[in-house]
Amino acid sequence: MSVQSKTSLVKSLETAASKAGLVLLSIAEAADFNGHPTTIFQLGLPGSEGRSLQLQLSESFDFDKAHLLPAMEAHLAAEAKRLRNPRPECYVTMAGLPIAFGKFQWPFHRSTSGADTYIVHGEIHLADGGPEQLHAKLAASVTVTFAEIVPAMEQPYAESFVYNAIRKTVDLGQLEFLKSGNRQPVPVTTRFYSRWQKRFIFTDTNDQERLAYLLSKVYWLSGLLGEGKPVWIADPRDAQYLNTGEADLLRMARDEAAEGLMTLDGEFAAPTPQLMERAPEFRARLEAALNFTKPQFNEAMRAGQANM
């Protein structure tokens, strides 16, 4: 890639980041899975130390175009708010598992096994306040046909639906958390996308399920992992995962604030002592959800007591 092209990418990223309220902290040369050159940008909030987001883009990528720029700006604007979370890399699942995402190697690369797919590698760790030894190495894959609906196979255009597909796969009990192990597949299929509505749909939820999700999120990400510092409630990534809107999540958070379970400051919430007293409930949900991800054996078959 020419120096001029690389300079153009840096300038475009600086402009988009500034519009989102972010500052460019560092730039580093890197490579993708196949050794093709990429650039890693570390972005942060002005005057904030210790928290940053990593954005890895192909060096040949030009997002300063009419069909790509809005999505990039929306991604960075969301990341600027997410960076205010005490643990920006952490999310919870519907079943109540707190997980941390990391070590993703963007952008997607074509499968080396001969399959007609694009792959991105990463990891999730159980983030329950312990040593985070339990984890799952991942290989999230999309078909070439599915890739046609994505504006670009780069991090800002795919991270949300990849993260949500991973959460959905955990919900289905199809990813196991281990202390070591091989990569586990996460198929990101067209079943997660409505061509008619032109949007991703992962889980249909009702008010009761969304409420349980919000309480779990505030308990784990703010109360237990974040020392009571507030977390972003109106996260569009969560709204997509729950098949709802950011306004609906805020409405429910206001209701819970009125019930004395959390305090609300704009779009950010923190737990009250009343919510933290429910720790045994959240721990029990975590253990049940973690157990659901473990392989279950038919003991009757193992003992030879059932027809094979």
Side-chain angles (χ1 to χ4, degrees):
M1 182 182 185
S2 69
V3 174
Q4 182 178 359
S5 298
K6 185 173 181 179
T7 301
S8 177
L9 175 62
V10 172
K11 287 183 177 180
S12 295
L13 199 284
E14 282 183 316
T15 300
S18 177
K19 187 174 181 178
L22 296 166
V23 292
L24 183 57
L25 302 175
S26 66
I27 305 171
E29 294 182 357
D32 66 10
F33 179 83
N34 292 319
H36 301 139
T38 64
T39 301
I40 293 179
F41 301 91
Q42 291 291 339
L43 301 165
L45 296 170
S48 177
E49 297 181 1
R51 293 185 221 163
S52 65
L53 81 91
Q54 179 174 295
L55 190 63
Q56 185 172 10
L57 300 173
S58 301
E59 281 195 346
S60 59
F61 183 56
D62 178 13
F63 65 83
D64 200 3
K65 298 177 180 178
H67 69 293
L68 294 175
L69 184 59
M72 171 65 86
E73 291 179 339
H75 174 79
L76 293 176
E79 290 289 76
K81 290 187 177 181
R82 210 170 281 124
L83 270 176
R84 292 172 58 185
N85 289 344
R87 292 283 300 272
E89 80 283 12
C90 289
Y91 299 79
V92 294
T93 69
M94 281 284 295
L97 277 179
I99 53 178
F101 288 75
K103 297 185 179 180
F104 276 77
Q105 296 174 282
W106 297 100
F108 282 92
H109 62 271
R110 290 296 293 265
S111 172
T112 57
S113 66
D116 201 17
T117 56
Y118 290 93
I119 307 288
V120 63
H121 289 168
E123 292 184 11
I124 54 173
H125 288 252
L126 180 66
D128 63 345
E132 296 192 11
Q133 291 182 329
L134 291 178
H135 68 283
K137 297 179 180 179
L138 310 170
S141 62
V142 303
T143 65
V144 172
T145 301
F146 185 92
E148 293 175 357
I149 67 175
V150 184
M153 301 302 286
E154 300 278 340
Q155 181 181 352
Y157 306 90
E159 187 176 78
S160 284
F161 73 74
V162 166
Y163 279 21
N164 284 338
I166 290 168
R167 286 198 277 182
K168 178 66 174 181
T169 307
V170 172
D171 291 335
L172 295 172
Q174 295 173 356
L175 285 176
E176 186 179 7
F177 289 82
L178 305 164
K179 291 185 178 180
S180 63
N182 297 324
R183 291 199 182 276
Q184 302 177 56
V186 178
V188 187
T189 68
T190 51
R191 65 179 174 168
F192 295 140
Y193 186 78
S194 170
R195 289 185 178 273
W196 178 62
Q197 300 180 56
K198 298 187 183 305
R199 65 187 183 94
F200 290 93
I201 300 175
F202 291 94
T203 304
D204 284 325
T205 57
N206 55 35
D207 272 6
Q208 183 178 358
E209 291 167 327
R210 291 192 287 272
L211 172 59
Y213 174 87
L214 286 179
L215 294 178
S216 182
K217 174 176 180 173
V218 173
Y219 170 80
W220 285 110
L221 305 193
S222 174
L224 193 84
L225 299 177
E227 300 178 338
K229 297 175 184 176
V231 293
W232 188 26
I233 289 296
D235 190 334
R237 190 166 291 176
D238 286 343
Q240 182 190 75
Y241 174 52
L242 300 170
N243 194 24
T244 188
E246 296 98 295
D248 191 48
L249 296 178
L250 271 177
R251 172 185 64 81
M252 302 194 77
R254 292 190 192 101
D255 291 344
E256 292 314 300
E259 293 292 328
L261 292 176
M262 61 179 73
T263 59
L264 200 61
D265 182 9
E267 297 182 351
F268 290 77
T272 62
Q274 184 179 342
L275 180 62
M276 296 307 294
E277 289 172 0
R278 293 169 58 174
E281 171 190 331
F282 293 108
R283 179 62 63 173
R285 289 189 68 210
L286 179 148
E287 294 298 335
L290 194 59
N291 187 60
F292 182 63
T293 67
K294 297 177 182 178
Q296 304 295 318
F297 297 99
N298 187 317
E299 296 299 332
M301 283 189 176
R302 178 183 290 179
Q305 299 170 1
N307 293 327
M308 300 292 287

